[in-house]
Amino acid sequence: MRILDRACVIVHQHVTTMYPPGASLPSTKQLALALGLPEKHVHQGLLRLDSLGEIALHTGSVPVRLRTREPHPRDRALQGAVRDRIRAGHYRPGTALPTGLLGEEFGLLPHHVRRALRFLTAEGSLRYDERGAYGPGYYVPVALAEAVS
């Protein structure tokens, strides 16, 4: 295992065992000192946790450990827009969402768009299909669209 990957595992284990959901995290520097790791490795570990939706970084305040099934603060606008567009019929049943365009529209990187859409998938608003009609991607489920109509 690469050194950086091992450091990310250590950061993940530390954050998820030492900080309950909703808790504020210490600074990257403080975590690095506590774990005996270089700051840059701790920072990369925190970025990975952020992209997984386990913590929220760069939200205008201190980093916070997110609660289970709590949406990432930066994802809420995208998630709300997707839900509204499904209800309005803008995204039709069985069609893939334009993830690249959504990322541009909401100023999110591709991995942040995937994080937001994984949340919608977990709640049943979308489905991920490796072999979808338009290739791998996030699709509006037919059953959901029929229930909304």
Side-chain angles (χ1 to χ4, degrees), residues 11 16 21 33 45 49 53 59 64 79 84 88 91 104 109 113 124-125 128 141 147:
V11 170
T16 57
L33 287 171
L49 288 174
T59 57
V64 174
Q79 292 164 342
D84 292 345
Y91 296 141
E104 286 180 29
L109 296 170
V113 172
S125 296
Y128 183 80

Side-chain angles (χ1 to χ4, degrees), residues 26 33 56 68 72 79 81 92 95 108 112:
L33 287 171
T68 305
H72 195 286
Q79 292 164 342
R92 296 234 175 264
T95 58
L108 296 172
H112 294 143

Side-chain angles (χ1 to χ4, degrees), residues 44-110:
Q44 287 300 311
L46 292 173
L47 288 174
R48 285 190 188 177
L49 288 174
D50 182 77
S51 71
L52 293 170
E54 299 242 358
I55 66 171
L57 292 174
H58 314 300
T59 57
S61 63
V62 296
V64 174
R65 173 129 186 257
L66 296 174
R67 291 172 176 82
T68 305
R69 293 184 295 281
E70 177 182 3
H72 195 286
R74 287 185 308 211
D75 299 347
R76 290 183 180 132
L78 172 96
Q79 292 164 342
V82 168
R83 284 186 198 101
D84 292 345
R85 292 171 188 178
I86 290 171
R87 281 188 213 102
H90 182 75
Y91 296 141
R92 296 234 175 264
T95 58
L97 266 64
T99 56
L101 293 174
L102 287 168
E104 286 180 29
E105 180 181 348
F106 291 92
L108 296 172
L109 296 170

